[in-house]
Amino acid sequence: MNKKNKEYYQRVYDSVNASSELKERLTDMEERNKMTEKHSKKKGIKMAGKVAVAVAAVSLAVPTGAYAYERISDYFKMEVEQNGYQVDMEVKKTDSSSAKKDTISAKEDVKPVKLVYDSIEGYTQGLKTGGGWYEFATKEGFKSGKEFSVEVLQVDVDTSKEYFVDDVTYSQNITVNGNKGIYIQKNDVVGSKYNEDTAYTQRVVVFYEDMGYIMHFYAQSGIKKEQLIKYANQITIENCEKQEEIEVAYLSEQLQNTDVVKEEIEWVKQEQLVNVKETMVYDGMEYEVLKVDVKDNISKEMKDIAKELGHNEDDVSVYAKKDGTLKTYDRETITVGDGKNTPSGEVSKTENIGQKFVLVTLRVKNTTKKAVEKQVCRDLVYFTEQDGKIKVDNTEYGRPNAITEVKGYDSMPCYFKETDGGKEFYIKKLKAGEEAVYHIGYMVDEDQLSQMALRIDDGSGSSDKTAKYINIKN
């Protein structure tokens, strides 16, 4: 996920107090998420699932200089205007001419707060997930599309038009607990038949002008607008003694994550490439693809794939028949917009595509003098050409959720014959000098078979080590 998409998810994914169902989902995907995170830095505009990427901004202009202690009740003056897909919220310091001459910085001026709410029917209590975030999970679970989280932000810096919110399709000025606020409806992928209620496409932003805080509600699209605003009115903050204060986030921290991310082209040079049956050495490990098999049927692998992904019979039926024969599906090509003048993500083409199961036989050898734990499964990328040069293809696609999962979240494998299971699905221990052969499976769209390559890197996304590739095109 890139910076824009993960503003909610990253905080919840890193938590230990998420709902039980969410924790189970995250445990299953932990190793995949570690790998996909590094590629978000490279791809820039990469979308996570069907959550649209955008540049639509919610801009905050906070006063400069020192703040008069007795004028904290006039901390904010807010104006809201929507232009196209962009919402501009301007927040200014009011006139402080009657304030005392003794001044104090904004952060020192703001008093601690506590979260206040009565029990909300059908929801757990506000579970602290770190970084000033509090999760409200339903008894129905994540897939109900009715969960939401609250972020408590203290305004601790001076800023102007640097606080961004994703692509906005609708907004409305509202009042929440007597405070100014705004309801925001974000785009998912426009025109996609795969949009789900689980996407976090709703926001409520509440400005506590007399306290120096902002409350930000992030909600799944399965909650009705009126219900979300009702929840926002049920949950508030109050000043409190130091020993009662809750953990909060700071606007300064938010601003560090609001850079507009530009797509970076990932060029591939010939010296970074080897072919099947050619040896590559990278970071103390020797890699060689011995064989690539392309199959129309996963009857032998289907049980293991379903177990790894947590798929039931209905999920499996989306991509394979009962006898294991792979099925076609409607693939949506997504055009990425700027989120201001155009939607952040919009379906530009839909085509029915067949799938293939690609089984890679990979020899790996530890060439170092010490035992290591390595992620031997590698992500699959696709090459394309531009101006006679090779680059990694980062085209965005909309797919049924089961198809997205079987493709392994950014093309990580869905099958590993030699797996130890659990969190170490992709990881193997190799003694010094030890060599092993692994069988690793990927689900691939049939029109991409001629573009396939395995990416070999250090797993961190670090720019100081150039990735290498094994060309496995068929």
Side-chain angles (χ1 to χ4, degrees), residues 107-171:
K107 191 169 182 178
E108 293 171 333
D109 205 15
V110 178
K111 297 178 181 178
V113 293
K114 61 182 179 180
L115 202 62
V116 179
Y117 58 91
D118 293 325
S119 178
I120 299 178
E121 185 178 357
Y123 286 85
T124 62
Q125 301 298 307
L127 297 173
K128 177 181 175 182
T129 61
W133 284 66
Y134 301 85
E135 180 193 2
F136 288 79
T138 66
K139 296 176 181 178
E140 300 169 75
F142 177 84
K143 291 184 179 180
S144 70
K146 296 179 181 179
E147 297 196 346
F148 68 95
S149 283
V150 180
E151 180 187 32
V152 182
L153 267 177
Q154 184 184 118
V155 180
D156 65 326
V157 293
D158 305 333
T159 184
S160 177
K161 298 184 178 180
E162 294 176 346
Y163 181 41
F164 290 88
V165 168
D166 290 332
D167 183 40
V168 175
T169 184
Y170 169 79
S171 65

Side-chain angles (χ1 to χ4, degrees), residues 2-273:
N2 67 23
K3 296 175 185 176
K4 303 186 192 75
N5 295 328
K6 70 182 181 182
E7 61 185 305
Y8 169 75
Y9 293 103
Q10 184 179 31
R11 298 170 191 271
V12 175
Y13 284 0
D14 291 340
S15 73
V16 294
N17 293 317
S19 63
S20 58
E21 182 172 346
L22 185 54
K23 283 198 290 186
E24 181 179 348
R25 286 160 49 86
L26 299 176
T27 298
D28 290 341
M29 296 190 293
E30 180 173 333
E31 294 305 321
R32 273 202 192 96
N33 287 342
K34 289 179 182 177
M35 290 299 297
T36 58
E37 183 179 12
K38 62 174 181 170
H39 299 312
S40 67
K41 298 176 184 177
K42 299 175 182 177
K43 297 179 181 179
I45 303 182
K46 191 74 177 175
M47 284 180 287
K50 294 176 291 301
V51 179
V53 179
V55 204
V58 174
S59 309
L60 301 183
V62 181
T64 58
Y67 299 79
Y69 187 81
E70 292 190 354
R71 298 296 294 182
I72 193 66
S73 61
D74 296 326
Y75 199 85
F76 291 140
K77 178 181 178 183
M78 186 182 74
E79 296 177 358
V80 180
E81 182 180 359
Q82 180 167 347
N83 299 304
Y85 294 98
Q86 179 171 298
V87 171
D88 297 318
M89 287 194 289
E90 191 170 13
V91 183
K92 294 183 177 180
K93 181 74 167 62
T94 57
D95 180 22
S96 59
S97 59
S98 62
K100 288 185 176 181
K101 291 182 179 180
D102 296 331
T103 57
I104 193 166
S105 68
K107 191 169 182 178
E108 293 171 333
D109 205 15
V110 178
K111 297 178 181 178
V113 293
K114 61 182 179 180
L115 202 62
V116 179
Y117 58 91
D118 293 325
S119 178
I120 299 178
E121 185 178 357
Y123 286 85
T124 62
Q125 301 298 307
L127 297 173
K128 177 181 175 182
T129 61
W133 284 66
Y134 301 85
E135 180 193 2
F136 288 79
T138 66
K139 296 176 181 178
E140 300 169 75
F142 177 84
K143 291 184 179 180
S144 70
K146 296 179 181 179
E147 297 196 346
F148 68 95
S149 283
V150 180
E151 180 187 32
V152 182
L153 267 177
Q154 184 184 118
V155 180
D156 65 326
V157 293
D158 305 333
T159 184
S160 177
K161 298 184 178 180
E162 294 176 346
Y163 181 41
F164 290 88
V165 168
D166 290 332
D167 183 40
V168 175
T169 184
Y170 169 79
S171 65
Q172 178 187 357
N173 292 328
I174 59 175
T175 299
V176 177
N177 288 319
N179 300 289
K180 295 176 183 177
I182 182 170
Y183 168 82
I184 293 173
Q185 179 70 51
K186 296 171 50 182
N187 272 322
D188 207 334
V189 179
V190 176
S192 175
K193 65 181 181 180
Y194 302 127
N195 291 335
E196 296 182 345
D197 284 347
T198 52
Y200 281 77
T201 58
Q202 295 186 91
R203 305 277 181 87
V204 170
V205 186
V206 186
F207 293 83
Y208 284 79
E209 297 176 297
D210 60 342
M211 297 169 67
Y213 285 89
I214 298 169
M215 285 188 71
H216 205 150
F217 292 76
Y218 297 76
Q220 291 180 305
S221 58
I223 301 176
K224 293 182 179 180
K225 169 189 168 184
E226 296 75 15
Q227 193 66 49
L228 177 58
I229 294 174
K230 179 181 177 181
Y231 294 152
N233 275 286
Q234 289 179 261
I235 304 169
T236 186
I237 54 173
E238 292 179 0
N239 287 129
C240 64
E241 298 299 323
K242 186 71 175 177
Q243 63 269 23
E244 297 180 283
E245 73 175 323
I246 59 170
E247 180 181 356
V248 301
Y250 296 98
L251 185 58
S252 57
E253 297 171 351
Q254 291 280 306
L255 300 182
Q256 294 172 7
N257 296 318
T258 55
D259 297 333
V260 176
V261 181
K262 296 181 180 179
E263 182 177 16
E264 296 181 11
I265 297 177
E266 190 175 347
W267 298 107
V268 179
K269 298 179 180 179
Q270 285 297 330
E271 54 263 34
Q272 294 174 260
L273 270 172

